[in-house]
Amino acid sequence: MIEFMKAHGTENDFVVLLDEAVEVQLSEERVRVLADRRAGIGGDGVIRIATADALVNAGVLPNLPEGVHGDEWFMDYRNADGSLAEMCGNGVRAFAHVLCSQGKVQAGEQFGIGTRAGRKLVEVHEVTGENQEHAIVSVEMGAPQVLGVSTAQVGDVKVAGLGVDMGNPHLAAVIPSLTADKLREMPIDQQVQFDPEFFPAGVNLEVLTPLDEAGAVHMRVHERGVGETRSCGTGTVAAAVAALADAERAEGTVTVHVPGGEVKVEISAEGSVLRGPSAIVAWGQTVL
């Protein structure tokens, strides 16, 4: 038996395992069972809470990723299919919220979290609820790396978009004249075909409307190793980069509407910041 919490950021949901001693072997099969919405707890991914040093000592991490502090908490994250993921923006926010609810970090103070894509600075704001089940969380996502232009096909729809590296690979496609209503009709849930030479590790596909006068876009996302999700934190940053570029701007704040809610993304010369809600919806124990 192991304790877990179920949390989500704009309905991008995660099973968070409290495994500080790194006693659980998170095989691909075990992750798939935990993430299964019928046979398990259900989620878009599984996250283990432990320090970076503990994960290195247990052999989960071969070494500390660049910039990561060994004594800080590390988001040991896996996609629903069991594959490792370098980074997950909503996962970091939910992870930080759980840490705060457990008294392991303090709200209102910036702290570091380790990921396979490096160290991220996070702050938990506006914690509410009898059991601290709601919060607003911001995370510094780093400088987006624009890779160039590529294409993809989802269902019978072909798109061209901007390749953006956020520690994990994205193709963010701004579709001219696309409306929120038309976006809802697109087959984003179907299999994505992409250029494997451009994206050798696979790709997360974001399809979005152009930036409107209020500085907002609507987005849907198909995540590698998961399928369509209600939100994707790194994907909203990639979408903001593409939307600003489409509007011939390099910097700005973009409100990104996703099926699970909305977040704000700030793109500046210093990097990017993702801010949005997090919710803890369940506590318990599970058999492993």
Side-chain angles (χ1 to χ4, degrees), residues 22-59:
V22 195
E23 297 175 330
V24 176
Q25 182 180 354
L26 285 180
S27 65
E28 289 189 4
E29 181 180 1
R30 179 164 283 169
V31 171
R32 286 195 295 268
V33 170
L34 285 168
D36 192 294
R37 297 189 184 279
R38 292 183 174 84
I41 300 168
D44 294 324
V46 174
I47 302 172
R48 181 196 341 242
I49 286 181
T51 65
D53 277 343
L55 292 165
V56 171
N57 292 337

Short mmCIF file of all heavy atoms in Angstrom, two decimals, residues 22-59:
data_model
loop_
_atom_site.label_atom_id
_atom_site.label_comp_id
_atom_site.label_asym_id
_atom_site.label_seq_id
_atom_site.Cartn_x
_atom_site.Cartn_y
_atom_site.Cartn_z
N VAL A 22 11.47 6.22 -2.03
CA VAL A 22 11.63 5.61 -3.36
C VAL A 22 11.58 4.08 -3.23
O VAL A 22 12.50 3.36 -3.64
CB VAL A 22 12.93 6.08 -4.05
CG1 VAL A 22 12.90 5.75 -5.53
CG2 VAL A 22 13.13 7.58 -3.87
N GLU A 23 10.50 3.60 -2.65
CA GLU A 23 10.31 2.17 -2.44
C GLU A 23 9.55 1.50 -3.58
O GLU A 23 9.57 0.27 -3.71
CB GLU A 23 9.56 1.93 -1.13
CG GLU A 23 10.32 2.41 0.10
CD GLU A 23 9.52 2.30 1.38
OE1 GLU A 23 8.27 2.40 1.30
OE2 GLU A 23 10.12 2.12 2.43
N VAL A 24 8.88 2.29 -4.40
CA VAL A 24 8.03 1.75 -5.46
C VAL A 24 8.81 1.70 -6.78
O VAL A 24 9.44 2.69 -7.17
CB VAL A 24 6.77 2.60 -5.64
CG1 VAL A 24 5.94 2.08 -6.82
CG2 VAL A 24 5.95 2.61 -4.37
N GLN A 25 8.76 0.56 -7.44
CA GLN A 25 9.34 0.46 -8.78
C GLN A 25 8.26 0.84 -9.78
O GLN A 25 7.28 0.11 -9.98
CB GLN A 25 9.83 -0.96 -9.06
CG GLN A 25 10.48 -1.09 -10.44
CD GLN A 25 10.97 -2.50 -10.72
OE1 GLN A 25 10.93 -3.38 -9.85
NE2 GLN A 25 11.42 -2.75 -11.94
N LEU A 26 8.43 1.99 -10.41
CA LEU A 26 7.42 2.49 -11.35
C LEU A 26 7.71 1.96 -12.75
O LEU A 26 8.19 2.67 -13.63
CB LEU A 26 7.39 4.02 -11.34
CG LEU A 26 6.72 4.68 -10.13
CD1 LEU A 26 6.76 6.19 -10.23
CD2 LEU A 26 5.27 4.20 -10.00
N SER A 27 7.37 0.69 -12.95
CA SER A 27 7.50 0.11 -14.28
C SER A 27 6.44 0.69 -15.21
O SER A 27 5.45 1.28 -14.74
CB SER A 27 7.32 -1.41 -14.20
OG SER A 27 5.99 -1.72 -13.78
N GLU A 28 6.62 0.54 -16.50
CA GLU A 28 5.64 1.05 -17.45
C GLU A 28 4.28 0.41 -17.20
O GLU A 28 3.25 1.08 -17.25
CB GLU A 28 6.10 0.77 -18.89
CG GLU A 28 7.28 1.64 -19.33
CD GLU A 28 7.56 1.50 -20.81
OE1 GLU A 28 6.80 0.80 -21.51
OE2 GLU A 28 8.55 2.10 -21.27
N GLU A 29 4.26 -0.90 -16.92
CA GLU A 29 2.99 -1.58 -16.68
C GLU A 29 2.29 -1.03 -15.44
O GLU A 29 1.08 -0.79 -15.44
CB GLU A 29 3.22 -3.08 -16.52
CG GLU A 29 1.94 -3.87 -16.28
CD GLU A 29 2.19 -5.36 -16.11
OE1 GLU A 29 3.37 -5.78 -16.16
OE2 GLU A 29 1.21 -6.10 -15.91
N ARG A 30 3.05 -0.80 -14.36
CA ARG A 30 2.46 -0.29 -13.12
C ARG A 30 1.89 1.11 -13.34
O ARG A 30 0.82 1.44 -12.84
CB ARG A 30 3.51 -0.29 -12.02
CG ARG A 30 3.01 0.24 -10.68
CD ARG A 30 3.96 -0.14 -9.57
NE ARG A 30 3.79 -1.54 -9.18
CZ ARG A 30 4.63 -2.20 -8.38
NH1 ARG A 30 5.69 -1.60 -7.90
NH2 ARG A 30 4.38 -3.46 -8.06
N VAL A 31 2.61 1.95 -14.08
CA VAL A 31 2.12 3.30 -14.36
C VAL A 31 0.84 3.24 -15.17
O VAL A 31 -0.13 3.96 -14.90
CB VAL A 31 3.20 4.13 -15.09
CG1 VAL A 31 2.62 5.45 -15.59
CG2 VAL A 31 4.38 4.40 -14.18
N ARG A 32 0.81 2.36 -16.17
CA ARG A 32 -0.40 2.24 -17.01
C ARG A 32 -1.61 1.83 -16.17
O ARG A 32 -2.72 2.32 -16.38
CB ARG A 32 -0.16 1.24 -18.15
CG ARG A 32 0.74 1.78 -19.25
CD ARG A 32 0.64 0.91 -20.50
NE ARG A 32 1.16 -0.43 -20.28
CZ ARG A 32 2.41 -0.81 -20.52
NH1 ARG A 32 3.28 0.07 -20.98
NH2 ARG A 32 2.81 -2.04 -20.30
N VAL A 33 -1.40 0.93 -15.22
CA VAL A 33 -2.51 0.49 -14.36
C VAL A 33 -2.98 1.64 -13.47
O VAL A 33 -4.19 1.88 -13.33
CB VAL A 33 -2.08 -0.72 -13.50
CG1 VAL A 33 -3.13 -1.02 -12.43
CG2 VAL A 33 -1.87 -1.94 -14.38
N LEU A 34 -2.05 2.36 -12.85
CA LEU A 34 -2.42 3.48 -12.00
C LEU A 34 -3.18 4.55 -12.78
O LEU A 34 -4.14 5.14 -12.29
CB LEU A 34 -1.17 4.10 -11.38
CG LEU A 34 -0.51 3.34 -10.23
CD1 LEU A 34 0.87 3.93 -9.94
CD2 LEU A 34 -1.38 3.38 -8.99
N ALA A 35 -2.75 4.80 -14.03
CA ALA A 35 -3.35 5.86 -14.84
C ALA A 35 -4.63 5.43 -15.54
O ALA A 35 -5.36 6.28 -16.07
CB ALA A 35 -2.34 6.36 -15.88
N ASP A 36 -4.92 4.14 -15.53
CA ASP A 36 -6.12 3.63 -16.21
C ASP A 36 -7.38 4.16 -15.52
O ASP A 36 -7.55 4.02 -14.31
CB ASP A 36 -6.11 2.10 -16.19
CG ASP A 36 -7.16 1.51 -17.11
OD1 ASP A 36 -8.37 1.70 -16.84
OD2 ASP A 36 -6.79 0.85 -18.09
N ARG A 37 -8.28 4.74 -16.30
CA ARG A 37 -9.47 5.38 -15.73
C ARG A 37 -10.56 4.38 -15.36
O ARG A 37 -11.54 4.75 -14.71
CB ARG A 37 -10.00 6.44 -16.69
CG ARG A 37 -9.00 7.57 -16.91
CD ARG A 37 -9.59 8.74 -17.69
NE ARG A 37 -8.57 9.73 -17.96
CZ ARG A 37 -8.16 10.66 -17.09
NH1 ARG A 37 -8.70 10.71 -15.89
NH2 ARG A 37 -7.22 11.52 -17.42
N ARG A 38 -10.41 3.13 -15.75
CA ARG A 38 -11.38 2.10 -15.36
C ARG A 38 -10.78 1.10 -14.37
O ARG A 38 -11.42 0.73 -13.39
CB ARG A 38 -11.90 1.36 -16.59
CG ARG A 38 -12.77 2.24 -17.49
CD ARG A 38 -13.32 1.45 -18.67
NE ARG A 38 -14.27 2.23 -19.45
CZ ARG A 38 -13.93 3.09 -20.39
NH1 ARG A 38 -12.64 3.27 -20.69
NH2 ARG A 38 -14.84 3.76 -21.07
N ALA A 39 -9.54 0.66 -14.63
CA ALA A 39 -8.93 -0.37 -13.80
C ALA A 39 -8.05 0.20 -12.69
O ALA A 39 -7.63 -0.54 -11.80
CB ALA A 39 -8.11 -1.32 -14.66
N GLY A 40 -7.76 1.51 -12.74
CA GLY A 40 -6.88 2.11 -11.75
C GLY A 40 -7.49 3.37 -11.17
O GLY A 40 -8.71 3.52 -11.10
N ILE A 41 -6.63 4.29 -10.74
CA ILE A 41 -7.09 5.57 -10.19
C ILE A 41 -7.48 6.51 -11.31
O ILE A 41 -8.48 7.22 -11.23
CB ILE A 41 -5.99 6.19 -9.30
CG1 ILE A 41 -5.66 5.25 -8.14
CG2 ILE A 41 -6.43 7.55 -8.76
CD1 ILE A 41 -4.40 5.64 -7.39
N GLY A 42 -6.69 6.54 -12.34
CA GLY A 42 -6.98 7.36 -13.51
C GLY A 42 -6.25 8.68 -13.52
O GLY A 42 -6.24 9.40 -12.52
N GLY A 43 -5.62 8.98 -14.65
CA GLY A 43 -4.94 10.26 -14.80
C GLY A 43 -4.19 10.33 -16.11
O GLY A 43 -3.98 9.33 -16.79
N ASP A 44 -3.78 11.56 -16.46
CA ASP A 44 -2.96 11.76 -17.65
C ASP A 44 -1.51 11.41 -17.40
O ASP A 44 -0.72 11.29 -18.34
CB ASP A 44 -3.05 13.22 -18.11
CG ASP A 44 -4.44 13.60 -18.59
OD1 ASP A 44 -5.11 12.75 -19.20
OD2 ASP A 44 -4.86 14.75 -18.35
N GLY A 45 -1.14 11.27 -16.12
CA GLY A 45 0.21 10.92 -15.78
C GLY A 45 0.32 10.52 -14.32
O GLY A 45 -0.62 10.64 -13.54
N VAL A 46 1.50 10.00 -13.96
CA VAL A 46 1.80 9.59 -12.59
C VAL A 46 3.06 10.32 -12.15
O VAL A 46 4.06 10.36 -12.89
CB VAL A 46 2.00 8.06 -12.49
CG1 VAL A 46 2.46 7.66 -11.10
CG2 VAL A 46 0.72 7.34 -12.86
N ILE A 47 3.01 10.90 -10.94
CA ILE A 47 4.12 11.68 -10.40
C ILE A 47 4.52 11.09 -9.06
O ILE A 47 3.67 10.85 -8.21
CB ILE A 47 3.74 13.16 -10.21
CG1 ILE A 47 3.28 13.78 -11.55
CG2 ILE A 47 4.90 13.95 -9.63
CD1 ILE A 47 2.71 15.18 -11.39
N ARG A 48 5.83 10.92 -8.85
CA ARG A 48 6.33 10.48 -7.55
C ARG A 48 6.95 11.69 -6.83
O ARG A 48 7.67 12.48 -7.42
CB ARG A 48 7.39 9.41 -7.72
CG ARG A 48 7.92 8.91 -6.39
CD ARG A 48 9.24 8.13 -6.43
NE ARG A 48 9.64 7.56 -7.67
CZ ARG A 48 9.80 6.25 -7.89
NH1 ARG A 48 9.54 5.38 -6.94
NH2 ARG A 48 10.24 5.81 -9.06
N ILE A 49 6.64 11.81 -5.52
CA ILE A 49 7.26 12.82 -4.68
C ILE A 49 8.48 12.20 -3.99
O ILE A 49 8.37 11.22 -3.26
CB ILE A 49 6.29 13.35 -3.61
CG1 ILE A 49 5.25 14.27 -4.24
CG2 ILE A 49 7.03 14.07 -2.49
CD1 ILE A 49 4.27 14.86 -3.26
N ALA A 50 9.66 12.75 -4.26
CA ALA A 50 10.90 12.36 -3.60
C ALA A 50 11.92 13.45 -3.87
O ALA A 50 11.72 14.29 -4.75
CB ALA A 50 11.40 11.01 -4.11
N THR A 51 13.02 13.45 -3.12
CA THR A 51 14.08 14.40 -3.42
C THR A 51 14.92 13.87 -4.58
O THR A 51 14.94 12.66 -4.86
CB THR A 51 14.99 14.65 -2.22
OG1 THR A 51 15.67 13.43 -1.89
CG2 THR A 51 14.19 15.17 -1.02
N ALA A 52 15.63 14.76 -5.21
CA ALA A 52 16.49 14.36 -6.32
C ALA A 52 17.57 13.39 -5.85
O ALA A 52 17.88 12.40 -6.52
CB ALA A 52 17.11 15.59 -6.98
N ASP A 53 18.17 13.67 -4.69
CA ASP A 53 19.21 12.78 -4.16
C ASP A 53 18.67 11.38 -3.91
O ASP A 53 19.34 10.38 -4.22
CB ASP A 53 19.78 13.34 -2.85
CG ASP A 53 20.86 14.39 -3.08
OD1 ASP A 53 21.40 14.46 -4.20
OD2 ASP A 53 21.16 15.15 -2.12
N ALA A 54 17.44 11.28 -3.35
CA ALA A 54 16.86 9.97 -3.09
C ALA A 54 16.64 9.19 -4.38
O ALA A 54 16.85 7.97 -4.43
CB ALA A 54 15.54 10.12 -2.34
N LEU A 55 16.24 9.89 -5.44
CA LEU A 55 16.02 9.23 -6.73
C LEU A 55 17.34 8.78 -7.35
O LEU A 55 17.41 7.71 -7.98
CB LEU A 55 15.27 10.17 -7.67
CG LEU A 55 13.82 10.45 -7.27
CD1 LEU A 55 13.28 11.66 -8.02
CD2 LEU A 55 12.94 9.25 -7.52
N VAL A 56 18.39 9.58 -7.19
CA VAL A 56 19.71 9.17 -7.68
C VAL A 56 20.21 7.95 -6.90
O VAL A 56 20.69 6.97 -7.49
CB VAL A 56 20.72 10.34 -7.57
CG1 VAL A 56 22.14 9.84 -7.86
CG2 VAL A 56 20.36 11.45 -8.55
N ASN A 57 20.08 7.99 -5.58
CA ASN A 57 20.55 6.88 -4.74
C ASN A 57 19.80 5.59 -5.04
O ASN A 57 20.37 4.49 -4.91
CB ASN A 57 20.41 7.24 -3.27
CG ASN A 57 21.36 8.36 -2.83
OD1 ASN A 57 22.38 8.59 -3.48
ND2 ASN A 57 21.02 9.06 -1.77
N ALA A 58 18.53 5.71 -5.46
CA ALA A 58 17.73 4.52 -5.78
C ALA A 58 17.93 4.06 -7.22
O ALA A 58 17.38 3.03 -7.62
CB ALA A 58 16.25 4.81 -5.53
N GLY A 59 18.71 4.81 -8.00
CA GLY A 59 18.96 4.43 -9.38
C GLY A 59 17.87 4.84 -10.35
O GLY A 59 17.92 4.47 -11.53
#
